[in-house]
Every structure is written in C-alpha cells, then in structure tokens.
Amino acid sequence: MESQHYRALPHSTLKAEAAYHLPDPAVAPVVNLDSAAILVMTDLRQIAAVTIDADALIIDANQKMMAHGVRTLIVIDDLHDVIGIVTSTDILGEKPMQLTHVRGARHAEILVRDVMTPSQRMEVIDLKTVLNARVGDVMVTLKEARRQHALVVDQGNDGSQMVRGIFSSTQVARQLDLAPSPPDTGTTFAELETAIGA
C-alpha cells in the first residue's frame, strides 16, 4: 500500500467570547389535506419514544413530559411491550379528579394505569396503509374513532407487531395551522371537521 502523507490542520485557541451551537429545532413540514399522511406522523425511528411504566405516579409522568417536551408517553410493561399511552390531557384533565372523588384517593396516589388509554382501546393503522394515505384520511380516521391518537404499526424482523409511529389530532391540527400549539387543550375535532368539510 502506498504511504500516505498527512499534515496537521491549522489551528488556534478558543476565543473567550465563543458560544456553542444548539440543535436546530425540528420544523414540522407545511401540509394540507392532500399531503402525504406520513408527514403528520411522529416516526419513532426518527424521534425516540418517551416511555413510562404503568405503575408510575401521574405526577412523575407529568414531570417526564415536561422534561422531554412531549405531551404523550408510551406506557410499557416489564418486558417493554406497549400496553397503552398516556397524554397530558389524561393527567391534567378530568380523569384524575374523577378518581379522587370516586376512590377517595389523593391526587398524588393516582397511577398512570388509572388514567391511560390501554392498548386494546387504541386504533392501529398499518404503515403500508399510511404510506398510501393523505392527511385528510388521517383526520377522518381520528374523527370517526373519536380518538385523539392512533398508533401506526409495522413488523419487526421476527414478524412481531411493532409500534412505528403515532398520529395525534393536536399535531395534525397544528401542522394544518388550525389550532394553537400550547397547551394540549383536548379535542380539536371541531377544527378538523371544519377543515374536512364534515
């Protein structure tokens, strides 16, 4: 092998007033009803899922959401299987208040499993279907299911079902510029229905 000739790169010392770069914030693509549905899906291959145990306290779930800048956590069991999702609306909305009244429990004692949406009640859409769908199709799906979220699944190497992404009515509405970003104020079906002419 022919010998390589390397040389030191020019260098200097760091200036006292030097700052550092921060990651560019993720910019959601501008979409309309006819845009590809994949553009409004949170892809878990690109954005790491933030998870929580079902037996965690909801106050801990809320802190985790704030720390990670998210409003939805995937709830997992001891084997890291998905058993549901919990949203900021689940934690900060009426569910905990109803439980404190019905059970006579304190707010600090309520667990994620008490307020989460279990996996058997989650709508699931195959990624192959999503790749051929439009944003308007996603909106109609969420509206008809009367759900805020739908999970997108594909298959793992062993053929098992894997959660690949999440559709959120709040995220879709935000990308369509139908609703303000913060906070997660619950159902945006009125705005979605107006947009799709329902």
Side-chain angles (χ1 to χ4, degrees), residues 66-85:
M66 290 190 295
H68 289 273
V70 298
R71 292 180 284 193
T72 303
L73 301 175
I74 293 180
V75 185
I76 57 172
D77 63 14
D78 294 339
L79 300 174
H80 295 276
D81 291 333
V82 177
I83 59 171
I85 64 167

Side-chain angles (χ1 to χ4, degrees), residues 5-6 10 19 33 51 55 65 68 73 87 93-94 118 120 123 128 131-132 136 141-142 146 155 163 169-170 185:
H5 298 285
Y6 302 104
L33 295 175
T51 62
D55 292 322
M65 285 181 189
H68 289 273
L73 301 175
T87 69
E94 294 179 12
Q120 62 267 27
E123 275 67 32
K128 292 174 187 170
L131 293 174
N132 294 308
T141 302
L142 291 171
R146 301 306 293 175
Q155 287 189 336
V163 176
S169 62
T170 304
T185 54

Side-chain angles (χ1 to χ4, degrees), residues 8-80:
L9 300 174
H11 59 279
S12 60
T13 56
L14 184 67
K15 295 181 180 177
E17 68 275 8
Y20 61 95
H21 285 282
L22 295 172
D24 290 333
V27 178
V30 176
V31 298
N32 61 44
L33 295 175
D34 291 322
S35 297
I38 197 82
L39 295 176
V40 295
M41 181 186 87
T42 300
D43 189 338
L44 299 182
R45 283 200 170 177
Q46 297 177 9
I47 299 170
V50 184
T51 62
I52 196 157
D53 187 87
D55 292 322
L57 296 169
I58 62 170
I59 55 174
D60 295 332
N62 189 43
Q63 289 173 348
K64 192 166 197 176
M65 285 181 189
M66 290 190 295
H68 289 273
V70 298
R71 292 180 284 193
T72 303
L73 301 175
I74 293 180
V75 185
I76 57 172
D77 63 14
D78 294 339
L79 300 174
H80 295 276

